[in-house]
Amino acid sequence: MITASNISLQYGGRVLFERANVTFSAGNCYGVIGANGAGKSTFLKILSGELEPNKGEVLITPGERLSVLKQDHYAYDEYDVIRTVLMGNPRLVEIMDQKEALYAKEDFTEEDGLLVSELEAEFAEMDGWSAESDAEILLNALGIDNEKHTAQMRALDGDDKVKVLLAQALFGNPDILLLDEPTNHLDLAAIQWLEDFLLDFENTVIVVSHDRHFLNKVCTHIVDIDYGKLELYVGNYDFWYEYTQLAQRQLREQNKKAEAKKKELQEFIARFSANASKSKQATSRKKLLESLDIEAMPVSSRRYPFVAFKPDREAGNDMLTVENLTKTIGGRKVLDHVSFTIRPNEKVAFIGSDTLAKTTLFQILTGELEPDEGGFKWGVTTSRAYFPSDNAAFFDGCELSLIDWLRQFSREQLETDIRGWLGRMLFSGEEATKKAKVLSGGERVRCMLCKMMVSGANVLILDEPTNHLDLESITALNNGLISFPGTLLFTSHDHQFVQTIADRIIEILPDRVIDRKETYDEYLASLAEEDLKKLR
C-alpha cells in the first residue's frame, strides 16, 4: 500500500497540489488522468521519491518494493538487454554482483564464506535462479526476440528500448508499480499483452495514460487531477466520464433553477418594496434572496480543441494504387512487395509490430522516400495532407511566431483568419505569438493538425497522431476523423481510436500483407477464430 498524505506542491505562483490525500491499495489499478500540465507525471515522481513536495509525505508499507517505468531511453546504453531488465530489482542485481566478486577472490576467507551463504539464501528467496529466464519470458512476450537479449541497449531502436524498460518495470513482481504512459511506442499486440498482464497482476498499479481503451480495460479506479486537487473515483475511465458529465448536467440544472428563483425574487422586491401593504413580504423575499446559494460551477483545467477537416473538393473514383512496393533500410527489408488499392472515402488503419515499416510506407506515399522496387499512383483529383510521426523538422530552431508559422501553409494570409484557426486548437491571445521552437510535444501536434485543417485536403495520412496529446485532444481528433468525409490512411497504437475510425485494416507483416474490410475488433476476432481452427 502507498499513501500520499497532505501533499502540496507549488512552482512559483502556480499551485499544482494543495493538501492532496489519496491511498492506493493492493489488488487495484489506478488510472491517473488530467489535462496536459495538470501534474500527472509530477505526481508519479512524488510517489516514486524522485521529486520532493513542498509539504506532506508519501508512505509505503514497510518491506514493499516500488518499481517505476523509466523515461530515459539512454540511461542503460552501456548494459546488455537482459541485465537492464534484471536491474528492475536493484537488490537482486546487487546480490548477484556481490556473489560474483566474492567467488572471484583468490584469498577466500571464512568470513567470505558466511557472507556468501547469507547472500545465496536471500538470492534463492528472491527466485534468483529463475531471474534470467523470467526476464526472457517478459522480453519475448513484448516482442523482443532472443537474438536481441544479449545485445547492448545502445544497439536497439527506440521502440525496442521502450519495451525493454517496460520489462524492467514489470520484472520481479513489484509490490507497487508506477507506469507513466506505458503504451507509448508499443504496437497493438504488445499493448494487448500488457493489458492481460496487468489484469492478472495482484499488487498495486498506478498508471498515467492517454489511451482510453487501455484505461477502460485495466483500471479499477480513476484519480482525476483537476481544479487543483485529486479526486478518487471507483470504476474505469468510461464510468468516470459518464459520472462527471452527469454531475455537471445536474449542477447546471440546479444553477438554472436557482437563477430563475433569484430573478423572480428580484422582480418581486423591485415591484413591491415601496408598497406599504407588500413591504413585509418584500423584506422576507430579500432575506430569502440573500440566503439563496447558487453554487458556481468550477472552472475545469480541461480544454477541448475543435478539430474538423473539410476537403476543398471531392475526389474521384481513382484514389491510390500500390504495386509491389519494396524498401530496404539499414540492411533490413522493411517492405517486401506490398500491394493494395485504396477506394474513395475509406478509412484504413495500417497495423503491425514493425513501426519502421508503416512509417516507411507513408514516407514513400508522400514522396519523402523512393522505393527500391514497385510503384504507386495517386488519382489526379486527390489532394493530400501528411502528419509525420516525427515533426521535429517543422519546429526545431524555428524562430517564427505561431501566426507566421501557420501562414506558411495557409491560403488565408490575414492575421485575424490565422488567429481563428489557431484559436480552434487552443492557441488564443498571446499563445498565438510565441515562437514555434518553444512548443511542447502536445502543442506541436495541435499545430500540425491545424496545418492539415487549413490544407483542405481530401486525403489525410496520419502516422501516430495521438502521441503527446491529452485525452481531451485525442477525443476531439477522434471525433473529427470519424466525421471526415474524405479518405484516411493512418497508424495508431490507440485501440479505441482505431476501432471507432477504421472501416478497413491492413496489417503489414515481414512476408505478407493481411487486408480486411472490417473494423479493428472484427479483425482481431477473425484472427482469433483462424488461430482456433488451426489448433483443432
Side-chain angles (χ1 to χ4, degrees):
M1 186 171 71
I2 179 170
T3 299
S5 178
N6 292 317
I7 297 294
S8 296
L9 183 67
Q10 181 173 337
Y11 288 118
R14 185 184 176 212
V15 176
L16 275 181
F17 308 109
E18 183 66 33
R19 300 184 66 82
N21 293 278
V22 62
T23 295
F24 303 97
S25 302
N28 294 323
C29 179
Y30 300 84
V32 181
I33 64 172
N36 278 350
K40 304 182 295 295
S41 295
T42 300
F43 182 61
L44 257 62
K45 288 179 181 178
I46 291 174
L47 294 178
S48 70
E50 181 181 343
L51 184 64
E52 284 288 331
N54 300 133
K55 295 180 181 178
E57 59 182 343
V58 174
L59 305 172
I60 298 177
T61 302
E64 292 194 345
R65 182 170 71 85
L66 182 146
S67 184
V68 181
L69 173 59
K70 303 294 194 303
Q71 299 298 316
D72 185 353
H73 298 173
Y74 304 98
Y76 299 91
D77 276 0
E78 64 182 282
Y79 301 103
D80 64 40
V81 168
I82 285 290
R83 184 171 177 84
T84 300
V85 176
L86 296 179
M87 290 170 76
N89 189 338
R91 178 55 184 161
L92 179 65
V93 172
E94 182 184 358
I95 292 173
M96 292 170 67
D97 290 345
Q98 280 186 277
K99 283 171 50 184
E100 184 178 352
L102 286 168
Y103 284 131
K105 288 181 67 174
E106 294 183 1
D107 53 341
F108 192 83
T109 66
E110 183 178 345
E111 185 178 337
D112 292 332
L114 291 174
L115 178 56
V116 164
S117 178
E118 293 173 2
L119 292 173
E120 289 287 10
E122 188 176 356
F123 185 71
E125 189 176 335
M126 298 174 74
D127 292 327
W129 296 112
S130 62
E132 289 198 10
S133 62
D134 290 343
E136 289 174 349
I137 290 170
L138 284 173
L139 290 167
N140 288 331
L142 286 166
I144 305 296
D145 297 332
N146 289 335
E147 59 267 22
K148 295 180 181 178
H149 293 183
T150 56
Q152 294 289 108
M153 284 288 285
R154 65 168 60 92
L156 271 56
D157 63 29
D159 290 351
D160 280 348
K161 283 186 176 181
V162 169
K163 292 179 179 180
V164 175
L165 293 179
L166 179 57
Q168 180 193 74
L170 303 178
F171 173 73
N173 195 36
D175 300 289
I176 302 164
L177 184 57
L178 304 185
L179 302 173
D180 191 356
E181 295 294 355
T183 62
N184 275 3
H185 305 289
L186 291 186
D187 56 80
L188 290 164
I191 293 173
Q192 187 172 359
W193 176 86
L194 178 60
E195 289 171 350
D196 293 338
F197 179 94
L198 294 179
L199 285 172
D200 292 333
F201 190 71
E202 297 180 350
N203 299 330
T204 305
V205 181
I206 306 170
V207 58
V208 170
S209 178
H210 291 149
D211 188 327
R212 295 158 296 169
H213 181 272
F214 181 77
L215 292 172
N216 281 327
K217 187 79 174 287
V218 305
C219 290
T220 60
H221 297 71
I222 294 293
V223 178
D224 182 25
I225 302 180
D226 200 5
Y227 314 122
K229 60 182 180 180
L230 305 183
E231 292 287 347
L232 179 64
Y233 299 84
V234 176
N236 63 11
Y237 176 79
D238 278 351
F239 176 84
W240 165 85
Y241 182 79
E242 293 298 332
Y243 175 82
T244 52
Q245 292 299 302
L246 175 62
Q248 288 284 302
R249 288 195 296 271
Q250 290 177 337
L251 187 54
R252 281 194 291 268
E253 288 299 317
Q254 179 181 323
N255 285 347
K256 188 176 180 180
K257 291 178 182 178
E259 286 287 357
K261 183 67 174 176
K262 180 179 179 180
K263 184 177 180 181
E264 179 188 340
L265 293 172
Q266 287 173 331
E267 290 175 350
F268 184 89
I269 292 167
R271 286 166 54 201
F272 296 110
S273 58
N275 188 322
S277 64
K278 299 284 188 179
S279 62
K280 188 173 182 180
Q281 287 174 289
T283 301
S284 66
R285 295 287 199 285
K286 188 174 182 179
K287 289 180 179 178
L288 181 59
L289 179 61
E290 290 171 351
S291 65
L292 189 63
D293 179 26
I294 300 177
E295 184 178 357
M297 290 181 65
V299 178
S300 173
S301 61
R302 288 180 168 82
R303 297 190 299 164
Y304 289 83
F306 176 78
V307 181
F309 303 96
K310 296 182 179 178
D312 290 337
R313 66 173 182 172
E314 187 175 345
N317 291 328
D318 294 330
M319 292 301 301
L320 172 65
T321 301
V322 175
E323 293 183 350
N324 296 316
L325 277 188
T326 301
K327 184 68 176 179
T328 298
I329 294 180
R332 180 168 71 89
K333 185 176 285 188
V334 295
L335 297 175
D336 188 6
H337 294 92
V338 172
S339 300
F340 56 84
T341 298
I342 303 297
R343 292 171 284 277
N345 304 322
E346 285 190 314
K347 295 180 177 177
V348 186
F350 289 81
I351 66 172
S353 59
D354 191 345
T355 301
L356 181 58
K358 293 174 289 184
T359 295
T360 300
L361 173 63
F362 283 2
Q363 287 176 328
I364 291 174
L365 296 180
T366 54
E368 291 190 4
L369 288 177
E370 289 290 332
D372 297 334
E373 298 177 39
F376 64 95
K377 183 180 180 181
W378 287 102
V380 294
T381 59
T382 62
S383 54
R384 300 167 295 281
Y386 176 44
F387 180 101
S389 58
D390 182 0
N391 55 41
F394 290 89
F395 300 99
D396 286 356
C398 182
E399 296 288 343
L400 296 176
S401 70
L402 295 193
I403 295 171
D404 291 331
W405 183 89
L406 185 61
R407 187 181 275 129
Q408 301 175 96
F409 312 107
S410 175
R411 286 160 297 184
E412 298 172 347
Q413 295 295 299
L414 292 176
E415 182 171 325
T416 52
D417 293 330
I418 299 295
R419 279 184 174 272
W421 284 105
L422 290 170
R424 297 179 185 185
M425 300 307 288
L426 309 180
F427 297 106
S428 57
E430 292 184 1
E431 286 283 304
T433 63
K434 64 184 179 182
K435 292 184 177 181
K437 69 178 183 180
V438 304
L439 298 184
S440 67
E443 289 172 330
R444 288 184 175 193
V445 171
R446 283 190 272 124
C447 277
M448 292 298 292
L449 293 174
C450 197
K451 172 180 174 290
M452 297 183 78
M453 288 198 297
V454 303
S455 73
N458 53 32
V459 178
L460 303 181
I461 305 171
L462 300 103
D463 193 358
E464 295 292 351
T466 62
N467 283 353
H468 305 294
L469 288 182
D470 58 20
L471 282 163
E472 292 70 42
S473 297
I474 291 173
T475 300
L477 175 59
N478 200 154
N479 293 336
L481 292 177
I482 289 172
S483 302
F484 176 58
T487 302
L488 174 64
L489 315 180
F490 73 102
T491 69
S492 177
H493 62 266
D494 186 316
H495 184 118
Q496 188 165 336
F497 194 80
V498 177
Q499 167 60 21
T500 54
I501 296 173
D503 56 20
R504 179 179 173 187
I505 304 295
I506 295 180
E507 181 170 8
I508 300 177
L509 298 170
D511 58 344
R512 61 194 170 104
V513 169
I514 302 177
D515 188 347
R516 303 277 177 84
K517 185 68 174 176
E518 55 193 6
T519 67
Y520 182 57
D521 282 348
E522 289 171 343
Y523 176 73
L524 292 178
S526 62
L527 288 186
E529 180 64 25
E530 289 170 10
D531 290 340
L532 189 60
K533 288 180 180 178
K534 291 176 184 177
L535 294 174
R536 289 173 180 167

